[in-house]
Amino acid sequence: MDIDTEAPASNLATQIVTPGSAITSDSAYMRGHGTFGEHGTIYSSVAGVVERINKLVSVRSLKQRYGGEIGDIVVGRITEVASKRWRVDVNSRQDGMLLLSSINLPGGIQRRKSDSDELQMRSFFAEGDLVFAEVQSYFADGALSLHTRSIQYGKLRNGTFVSVFPQLVPRSRTHFHTLPCGVDVVLGVNGYIWVSKHVPVARVEANAEHIYSDENESISDDERESIARVANCIGLLNRLYVKITDTSIIFAFEASLPYPVKDLLSIDVATELAHNVTSRLKLQA
């Protein structure tokens, strides 16, 4: 793509533009999202990365709300308990909806939900609870419909919450990872991430009746430090706009070991670790 020669050289190298930057004056290209045309030239209307699909030129914003797709794995926070449904903050333009009919009952019992189940909805999920769910459909108003009909989904415990830019979390085959340091990470494509103590799947399946428990398990000091280190590594990757995957988190964790946990978010250390991670990712690619 021929970029307008008046555009700054740095934008040519990185393909990152600011509002009002000239992208191209070639009449063969069509304007897409994040652009506008004036006097035969296409300009950027947002700060972001230039993308081209055939002859369509668009700009993907560096900061944007999550736009859900069916099959997405998300982490959300319960904001309201309503009639036969929970309202869930999923970092989108609208809250998602988790219907009572879209959850597993304690113990994995399979039956139709009754009035007694509706009366004890807060024993399943209450306001403020964090939930791991999948997008199954859209409502007529565009809100996301979620479900937790799997043993791997449900209430999140034993850890800490991290919020990042949604565009840094790519869609992949699995979003639940157990890191070598003994920490579980749930990478929600909506930019919400949960970092927790590792709990074997066999133990979860054996205690299926406790899936809605509000009590955390005992967490040792070493486990707490590992959780805090992983959370800070995710924070520094987000701060310096590096893709967040299980591989980049592991690279950042290994590079961070010489430093105390509390120093990982200082700009000097964060910059050094981010460069280390990007270099290793390029070598791996």
Side-chain angles (χ1 to χ4, degrees), residues 24 28 45 50 62 117 132 134 169 192 209 218 220 229 252 272:
T24 180
S45 61
V50 177
L62 294 176
D117 294 321
F132 179 27
E134 181 179 340
V169 184
Y192 287 170
E209 65 276 8
S218 176
S220 68
R229 184 177 293 276
E272 179 181 344

Side-chain angles (χ1 to χ4, degrees), residues 36-82:
F36 67 94
E38 190 173 288
H39 305 305
T41 300
I42 297 177
Y43 296 89
S44 169
S45 61
V46 297
V49 180
V50 177
E51 294 182 338
R52 180 172 66 89
I53 302 175
N54 297 325
K55 294 297 183 179
L56 179 68
V57 178
S58 60
V59 178
R60 176 169 55 86
S61 175
L62 294 176
K63 293 184 180 181
Q64 59 188 359
R65 283 284 190 172
Y66 162 68
E69 294 183 9
I70 294 175
D72 279 354
I73 305 302
V74 299
V75 173
R77 186 182 295 278
I78 303 295
T79 58
E80 181 184 349
V81 180

Side-chain angles (χ1 to χ4, degrees), residues 225-270:
E225 182 175 346
S226 294
I227 291 171
R229 184 177 293 276
V230 170
N232 282 358
C233 286
I234 294 172
L236 70 87
L237 293 175
N238 175 67
R239 185 176 182 180
L240 295 172
Y241 217 75
V242 179
K243 284 288 185 182
I244 298 172
T245 63
D246 58 322
T247 303
S248 64
I249 294 172
I250 291 171
F251 287 168
F253 182 90
E254 292 173 349
S256 73
L257 291 176
Y259 302 94
V261 174
K262 62 184 177 67
D263 291 343
L264 297 184
L265 294 183
S266 67
I267 188 61
D268 293 335
V269 174

Side-chain angles (χ1 to χ4, degrees), residues 15-36:
Q15 296 184 349
I16 294 178
V17 293
T18 56
S21 296
I23 299 175
T24 180
S25 55
D26 191 337
S27 59
Y29 291 98
M30 298 182 294
R31 294 189 294 108
H33 292 294
T35 66
F36 67 94

Side-chain angles (χ1 to χ4, degrees), residues 79-230:
T79 58
E80 181 184 349
V81 180
S83 175
K84 296 185 179 180
R85 67 187 61 197
W86 292 268
R87 190 179 295 276
V88 186
D89 169 25
V90 290
N91 198 27
S92 185
R93 289 179 289 274
Q94 300 184 69
D95 285 345
M97 292 293 179
L98 175 61
L99 301 181
L100 178 60
S101 59
S102 299
I103 71 168
N104 275 340
L105 292 173
I109 301 172
Q110 298 293 328
R111 61 171 173 80
R112 293 177 64 90
K113 309 303 188 294
S114 62
D115 292 340
S116 62
D117 294 321
E118 185 176 357
L119 291 174
Q120 54 182 330
M121 283 178 60
R122 278 192 172 82
S123 67
F124 303 143
F125 297 110
E127 292 88 343
D129 284 345
L130 284 159
V131 59
F132 179 27
E134 181 179 340
V135 178
Q136 68 174 354
S137 63
Y138 295 96
F139 288 103
D141 63 353
L144 303 179
S145 175
L146 312 177
H147 83 87
T148 61
R149 294 194 208 94
S150 171
I151 193 66
Q152 66 176 326
Y153 303 143
K155 185 179 292 187
L156 295 170
R157 301 181 296 135
N158 306 321
T160 187
F161 172 80
V162 184
S163 178
V164 302
F165 298 132
Q167 54 271 31
L168 293 183
V169 184
R171 292 177 173 87
S172 63
R173 183 173 299 177
T174 177
H175 287 265
F176 182 88
H177 304 279
T178 298
L179 305 183
C181 57
V183 172
D184 288 341
V185 177
V186 178
L187 300 176
V189 295
N190 59 331
Y192 287 170
I193 296 176
W194 184 251
V195 184
S196 63
K197 167 187 174 180
H198 174 60
V199 179
V201 176
R203 191 197 306 175
V204 175
E205 293 175 346
N207 297 290
E209 65 276 8
H210 299 308
I211 58 175
Y212 296 112
S213 172
D214 290 324
E215 295 184 6
N216 289 327
E217 299 183 10
S218 176
I219 304 176
S220 68
D221 289 344
D222 289 342
E223 290 171 331
R224 290 177 187 274
E225 182 175 346
S226 294
I227 291 171
R229 184 177 293 276
V230 170

